[in-house]
Amino acid sequence: MPANNIFAEMLDRVRRANEALIAAGELPAGIDLSRISIEPPRDASHGDMATNAAMVLAKDAGRKPRELAEAIAAKLRADELVDKVDVAGPGFINLTLKPAAWIDALRNAVKRDAQYGRSDIGADVPVNVEYVSANPTGPMHVGHCRGAVFGDALASLLAFTGFKVTREYYINDAGAQVDVLARSAYLRYREALGEDIGEIPEGLYPGDYLKPVGAALAAEFADRLKAEPEAKWLPVVRNKTIEMMMAAISADLAALNVSPDVFFSERSLIAGDVDRVAVTIEWLRQRGYVYDGRLPPPKGAPVEDWEDREQTLFRSTEFGDDVDRPLKKSDGSYTYFASDIAYHRSKLERGFRTLIDVWGADHGGYIKRMQAAVAALSERGAELDVKVVQLVKLLRAGQPVTMSKRAGEFVTLREVVEEVGPDAVRFMMLFRKNDAVLEFDLAKVIEQSRDNPVFYVQYGHARAQSVFRNARAAFPDLPAAISILVDRPNLERLSDPAELALMRRIALYPRIVEAASLAHEPHRIAFYLFDLASEFHALYTLGNAAPHLRFIIQNDRQMTEARLVLVQGVATVLASGLALLGVEAPNEMR
């Protein structure tokens, strides 16, 4: 079958069956066929695929769904790939394909190799994926880790399906928190000069990670900064500290195999000759989206805590938000929201109309206002999808892990990666939907058992390579590339139900990839890979009890070659899916 995606191929065939009914006058000309879909049935006993064609066309056709389904089914029964068609319930159509369809799908997967599952549905549309964007006030912690992995895997998935992706990190290097960081580093600078600084004062960052910054400042400036007033030394220390913290953050991300394309500085919005936040606010004001007014007190807020004053407000309620939002604080400085609006305007100015932001769990209440801002900035011409990653509960053998001595407040990303490796971290961070809390057990993710999903999936790829090595020992003249075997007629011998089930799973991969990309849900790939590996391991185990199902049968070379193609199909998809997740596909497990 030439199609990359057997589900797309069958959808096309279902539509052609309906076009035949249009030509025969059984359906009205111009009826909308775009609503037809084809899906795997929820119950495998119902067949290989199900289509809603009759259900979505019946009303426009002026026919009963069941009656129309019978007419469509009659056309589909004549299709060369279809073995059986059943009409169920009010008009659902269930299809069972001939084994040859799944063999062709396997052949296609092996021939396409690393290109199998790749798609052009993105049509080279530019997409900006902003993720991590942690404040440069300390090392990356395990919570940042989940957002980093999610954003990176999503970016890879979008690129694989034809989108033009930019990976972006927004550096929060403006505002009060970086001044606190600079004062904390200045304290470590004094310490590096030999001063006894005592306990770190309340409100400053206490972690030891600022000691190298203090040492670097002492080496560069000696004791000269001590003679300067804060107004002079603060920007110097701040710039040096941010520079060193970002270098450390980049190294932490690199340990996780995450490398953003763009690092965008929040400070750049207000530094230099042009205040881009002010320009953005004025642009919105000219269009009636910013005004000066008063806000009612928040519901439930004590009266004494409410400051009733005229403010510069963004009219976010016009775009679905619950309340209009302030753009300036009482001291005249910008709110975080104002800076974020200007930052997202920069994305639009760079040509992006599809924006994806990956945020931590504590930012859920910020989503509506940011989506409102993007709608206003783009005159409703751009889309912002905010993906929230929930908390990570770090455990060891079921017990909570205590805080890091180095960070002072949390367990660092680097400590986790160094203990269990980037593969375990990346896979397990994706083996749960992003908006669900994740329990990450440092002991379990290095177990070599089925209960450890990353091991089980990687072992699937390693086991496939072991099968190839053993097959070459039994048949030394096997070709170097198993793909050479795909056009031999031996594949027709793959007829056991477990073999056909594995071929169906392989054939499902391109559809899973497209669906995961469009939904912005990379966890679907991790789930699919686990299911594929499970079926492969199960078939391997069957050979222990039923020798005729073994992958290598020394007195039957043709069957061995056919099964090697099946194993190659598994290995191809496991390698592809793991690559999308940024996880190694090992040739052997150590």
Side-chain angles (χ1 to χ4, degrees):
M1 181 178 295
N4 183 40
N5 184 338
I6 192 173
F7 285 85
E9 170 72 12
M10 289 309 301
L11 177 60
D12 186 55
R13 289 171 182 250
V14 171
R15 286 176 177 162
R16 290 206 299 268
N18 282 278
E19 287 167 357
L21 293 176
I22 293 172
E26 295 186 56
L27 283 175
I31 194 169
D32 182 10
L33 302 181
S34 67
R35 293 170 295 164
I36 297 174
S37 64
I38 195 158
E39 308 277 347
R42 292 182 179 179
D43 186 341
S45 67
H46 292 167
D48 298 326
M49 300 179 183
T51 178
N52 64 349
M55 303 295 291
V56 297
L57 299 179
K59 184 176 180 180
D60 291 347
R63 300 179 65 173
K64 294 179 180 178
R66 178 88 189 194
E67 174 193 320
L68 179 55
E70 295 290 356
I72 297 171
K75 294 292 184 185
L76 291 172
R77 289 187 181 102
D79 191 289
E80 61 185 3
L81 293 183
V82 176
D83 184 46
K84 186 173 67 169
V85 183
D86 294 314
V87 176
F92 290 105
I93 303 171
N94 295 323
L95 307 174
T96 300
L97 304 190
K98 294 176 181 176
W102 302 114
I103 291 170
D104 282 346
L106 170 63
R107 185 177 285 119
N108 178 51
V110 174
K111 281 185 173 181
R112 289 181 183 261
D113 192 30
Q115 298 303 307
Y116 182 59
R118 190 176 288 276
S119 168
D120 60 2
I121 57 170
D124 214 30
V125 169
V127 178
N128 183 286
V129 185
E130 179 213 328
Y131 55 103
V132 189
S133 300
N135 294 337
T137 53
M140 303 286 289
H141 58 66
V142 71
H144 295 137
C145 176
R146 190 176 187 187
V149 170
F150 176 87
D152 193 60
L154 176 55
S156 295
L157 182 58
L158 290 166
F160 194 66
T161 50
F163 292 91
K164 187 177 180 180
V165 180
T166 295
R167 295 164 156 89
E168 187 150 319
Y169 186 118
Y170 182 47
I171 307 172
N172 297 118
D173 55 357
Q177 84 279 358
V178 290
D179 288 344
V180 172
L181 176 70
R183 294 186 183 101
S184 306
Y186 183 74
L187 204 59
R188 295 299 188 180
Y189 158 71
R190 288 164 44 197
E191 182 182 45
L193 292 173
E195 185 178 333
D196 182 2
I197 61 172
E199 290 290 323
I200 304 297
E202 186 79 19
L204 296 185
Y205 294 102
D208 289 351
Y209 60 85
L210 286 175
K211 286 186 175 182
V213 179
L217 288 166
E220 182 174 351
F221 297 102
D223 62 355
R224 295 194 300 276
L225 295 179
K226 290 182 68 175
E228 300 282 2
E230 181 179 288
K232 285 283 187 70
W233 63 251
L234 185 67
V236 174
V237 173
R238 181 177 59 212
N239 291 343
K240 182 69 173 180
T241 307
I242 290 172
E243 175 191 334
M244 291 187 66
M245 292 310 304
M246 285 308 303
I249 286 171
S250 295
D252 286 347
L253 291 174
L256 201 54
N257 298 320
V258 173
S259 299
D261 302 314
V262 174
F263 286 89
F264 190 102
S265 163
E266 179 185 0
R267 186 167 291 277
S268 71
L269 295 169
I270 54 175
D273 298 332
V274 178
D275 183 336
R276 293 163 69 183
V277 181
V279 169
T280 300
I281 291 174
E282 182 56 29
W283 187 92
L284 290 168
R285 189 185 291 276
Q286 290 175 3
R287 285 156 180 78
Y289 301 141
V290 166
Y291 67 100
D292 295 326
R294 297 175 183 270
L295 288 176
K299 292 180 180 178
V303 175
E304 61 270 16
D305 291 344
W306 175 244
E307 181 185 3
D308 184 15
R309 63 182 178 88
E310 189 170 84
Q311 302 184 68
T312 301
L313 301 171
F314 169 60
R315 206 181 295 277
S316 54
T317 50
E318 189 167 322
F319 301 92
D321 196 6
D322 302 321
V323 64
D324 292 343
R325 303 292 178 175
L327 299 178
K328 289 186 178 181
K329 301 175 185 177
S330 57
D331 63 2
S333 63
Y334 299 125
T335 61
Y336 287 118
F337 181 48
S339 296
D340 285 344
I341 294 176
Y343 168 49
H344 282 76
R345 188 183 185 209
S346 83
K347 295 182 184 182
L348 298 172
E349 290 172 339
R350 285 179 274 153
F352 297 105
R353 289 298 176 271
T354 301
L355 313 178
I356 303 171
D357 287 1
V358 181
W359 294 352
D362 55 341
H363 287 74
Y366 205 71
I367 294 174
K368 280 187 178 181
R369 73 188 71 178
M370 205 64 250
Q371 289 177 331
V374 169
L377 291 167
S378 66
E379 302 286 4
R380 303 184 191 272
E383 176 190 1
L384 171 64
D385 183 18
V386 178
K387 310 302 288 188
V388 172
V389 290
Q390 273 294 342
L391 301 174
V392 177
K393 294 182 178 179
L394 198 62
L395 309 172
R396 181 178 280 108
Q399 298 301 310
V401 176
T402 56
M403 70 180 62
S404 162
K405 291 181 180 178
R406 177 172 174 265
E409 298 174 341
F410 47 76
V411 178
T412 67
L413 178 154
R414 181 64 69 93
E415 288 170 322
V416 174
V417 172
E418 288 177 352
E419 180 166 341
V420 303
D423 286 346
V425 173
R426 290 189 64 113
F427 192 94
M428 293 309 298
M429 290 291 165
L430 295 164
F431 200 61
R432 194 164 179 84
K433 198 171 185 298
N434 59 281
D435 58 4
V437 173
L438 172 70
E439 289 191 350
F440 187 94
D441 194 307
L442 293 164
K444 288 186 177 179
V445 300
I446 58 174
E447 285 181 359
Q448 294 194 348
S449 72
R450 190 185 190 282
D451 293 333
N452 177 10
V454 62
F455 166 78
Y456 207 57
V457 173
Q458 287 186 310
Y459 182 44
H461 189 269
R463 172 167 269 175
Q465 302 308 313
S466 175
V467 169
F468 298 147
R469 288 192 293 270
N470 292 335
R472 289 192 172 92
F475 302 98
D477 60 337
L478 278 173
I482 299 299
S483 58
I484 292 174
L485 304 174
V486 299
D487 289 322
R488 299 184 183 180
N490 312 340
L491 296 189
E492 309 302 328
R493 296 183 64 184
L494 297 173
S495 58
D496 186 86
E499 293 171 330
L500 288 169
L502 194 54
M503 283 187 270
R504 290 189 191 96
R505 183 71 64 181
I506 292 168
L508 186 60
Y509 181 61
R511 182 181 178 278
I512 292 288
V513 167
E514 287 193 358
S517 175
L518 293 174
H520 301 165
E521 293 184 343
H523 72 273
R524 297 191 190 190
I525 303 297
F527 289 1
Y528 166 84
L529 293 177
F530 184 79
D531 289 341
L532 174 63
S534 297
E535 289 192 29
F536 175 55
H537 291 309
L539 181 55
Y540 184 94
T541 303
L542 272 178
N544 295 331
H548 71 283
L549 288 177
R550 290 175 181 170
F551 295 130
I552 301 168
I553 302 179
Q554 297 214 357
N555 61 357
D556 192 341
R557 179 172 179 133
Q558 285 192 346
M559 179 56 84
T560 298
E561 289 184 354
R563 287 183 175 148
L564 289 179
V565 172
L566 178 58
V567 174
Q568 182 61 63
V570 173
T572 293
V573 174
L574 287 176
S576 174
L578 286 169
L580 288 177
L581 304 184
V583 177
E584 181 189 3
N587 290 333
E588 53 186 327
M589 302 297 284
R590 297 180 178 84

